[in-house]
Amino acid sequence: MIVSFLLRFPGLETWGLKNKAAVKEAWGLCVSLQAEKEGLDDRKDPFSSLFPGEDDDQRHGSQSPSVAAQQGGYEIPARLRTLHNLVIQYASQGRYEVAVPLCKQALEDLEKSSGHSHPDVATMLNILALVYRDQNKYKEATDLLNDALDIREQTLGGEHPAVAATLNNLAVLYGKRGKYTEAEPLCKRALEIREKVLGTNHPDVAKQLNNLALLCQNQGKFEEVEQYYQRALHIYQTRLGPDDPNVAKTKNNLANAYLKQGKYQQAEELYKEILSSHDLELATRRGGKGLACLPACLPLS
């Protein structure tokens, strides 16, 4: 989509969007690409928590009617998803002089067309806040996220997945600033919403548990840390399977928590499990080369 976007608007790369007219034209193109965006396959997205109900490591495609219904009937417009992908592209290149004005122009247009208190405006505020967060502009990002949270609570209700997404973004932001006591209740509320809407064994719940565990770890609450990581690990293993990458990531997180407590044996066991799984995965990709001892030790059936 990004390649298609740039091919259809070649001036974007060279002008850097310094010209306001160019910004408006780029935003207008996002609107015109809505139908095309709806046909795209899901793809991973590092800003996953931005879009409610699709998670992060993240798979953003068109929302099905069932997902939209689950989210209270609100569906993020495809043009905002297209813009989101474009902003990610520029932010990943460190080209904030392009990403920021594009976000601001889109926000201005949305406020003119829909009014400030609209869910789409809240989505745009989230996008701009995450760009500011990447620039370490934490105050600006915090103000935008609090504004987005107010809009989403008023328009979608306090238990909507979009509210949980913004709460999570705020918690992460506070965590980056070392404000763990302020971040923890936000993360817990996001967890409660996801559990109620998605069920207690949903992978997105496991993701929220990982975030909560990290916040507690930075406060030295290791008993809670272990509980959160172990629960997240159980969810990932039962719902996504033992070979899912999130299983290894959560095991690694839990092992690090054990190390900080001096529980070296427990940490060692987890690290061995991670390495064993990694070696087996490599062997599978190589067609079994390098693990000749494994089939030799297995009886023929």
Side-chain angles (χ1 to χ4, degrees):
M1 169 57 69
I2 298 301
V3 174
S4 173
F5 191 106
L6 295 177
L7 286 175
R8 295 162 76 169
F9 190 66
L12 204 60
E13 282 293 324
T14 56
W15 299 342
L17 291 180
K18 294 178 181 178
N19 186 310
K20 190 172 183 179
V23 178
K24 287 188 174 182
E25 187 171 351
W27 171 237
L29 183 56
C30 284
V31 176
S32 69
L33 290 176
Q34 180 167 352
E36 179 180 346
K37 176 62 180 175
E38 289 172 352
L40 289 180
D41 294 330
D42 293 346
R43 41 190 80 189
K44 293 188 176 181
D45 184 339
F47 287 170
S48 69
S49 59
L50 175 66
F51 295 127
E54 304 171 330
D55 228 325
D56 284 59
D57 294 319
Q58 244 86 25
R59 300 161 289 280
H60 295 316
S62 299
Q63 290 171 299
S64 66
S66 61
V67 172
Q70 182 186 58
Q71 296 181 3
Y74 172 65
E75 182 175 1
I76 295 172
R79 68 181 183 276
L80 290 188
R81 295 175 180 276
T82 301
L83 177 64
H84 178 242
N85 287 340
L86 182 62
V87 169
I88 289 172
Q89 178 75 5
Y90 284 122
S92 66
Q93 298 171 1
R95 299 185 61 190
Y96 300 110
E97 78 283 357
V98 179
V100 171
L102 182 56
C103 288
K104 287 184 176 180
Q105 183 60 54
L107 181 60
E108 179 183 330
D109 289 352
L110 283 170
E111 289 180 323
K112 286 181 179 178
S113 62
S114 305
H116 183 71
S117 298
H118 190 280
D120 291 351
V121 172
T123 296
M124 198 63 243
L125 289 169
N126 267 272
I127 296 175
L128 181 55
L130 294 179
V131 173
Y132 280 146
R133 187 184 74 184
D134 279 2
Q135 295 178 275
N136 297 325
K137 295 182 178 180
Y138 296 133
K139 183 182 184 303
E140 293 91 335
T142 300
D143 292 343
L144 291 173
L145 287 176
N146 277 313
D147 193 5
L149 180 61
D150 288 341
I151 294 173
R152 284 180 164 176
E153 287 179 324
Q154 293 172 13
T155 59
L156 303 175
E159 296 183 344
H160 194 279
V163 173
T166 306
L167 287 167
N168 180 71
N169 287 341
L170 267 173
V172 171
L173 184 59
Y174 281 130
K176 284 181 174 288
R177 301 173 68 181
K179 297 184 176 183
Y180 305 119
T181 56
E182 290 93 332
E184 184 180 348
L186 297 173
C187 199
K188 284 184 174 179
R189 187 182 162 202
L191 175 63
E192 291 172 358
I193 294 173
R194 294 186 191 277
E195 287 178 325
K196 184 170 183 179
V197 175
L198 303 173
T200 57
N201 291 319
H202 193 279
D204 290 1
V205 170
K207 196 170 306 180
Q208 197 70 57
L209 286 166
N210 263 295
N211 287 352
L212 184 55
L214 182 59
L215 290 173
C216 289
Q217 181 169 307
N218 284 312
Q219 299 175 73
K221 300 179 179 180
F222 287 105
E223 184 176 348
E224 294 178 47
V225 170
E226 292 182 21
Q227 293 175 357
Y228 293 140
Y229 279 142
Q230 288 169 355
R231 186 182 161 200
L233 183 59
H234 175 74
I235 294 173
Y236 282 137
Q237 288 176 321
T238 56
R239 293 297 301 274
L240 303 181
D243 298 327
D244 186 84
N246 287 301
V247 172
K249 291 177 183 178
T250 306
K251 284 183 177 181
N252 185 68
N253 291 342
L254 180 55
N256 288 338
Y258 283 144
L259 280 180
K260 290 181 181 295
Q261 299 175 79
K263 297 182 177 180
Y264 302 118
Q265 183 177 349
Q266 293 96 317
E268 181 182 2
E269 292 174 356
L270 283 175
Y271 285 134
K272 285 181 177 179
E273 290 178 12
I274 296 170
L275 289 173
S276 175
S277 176
H278 180 65
D279 289 343
L280 186 59
E281 180 182 356
L282 288 177
T284 302
R285 290 178 180 177
R286 296 170 182 170
K289 294 180 180 180
L291 278 182
C293 61
L294 288 182
C297 295
L298 296 176
L300 295 175
S301 57

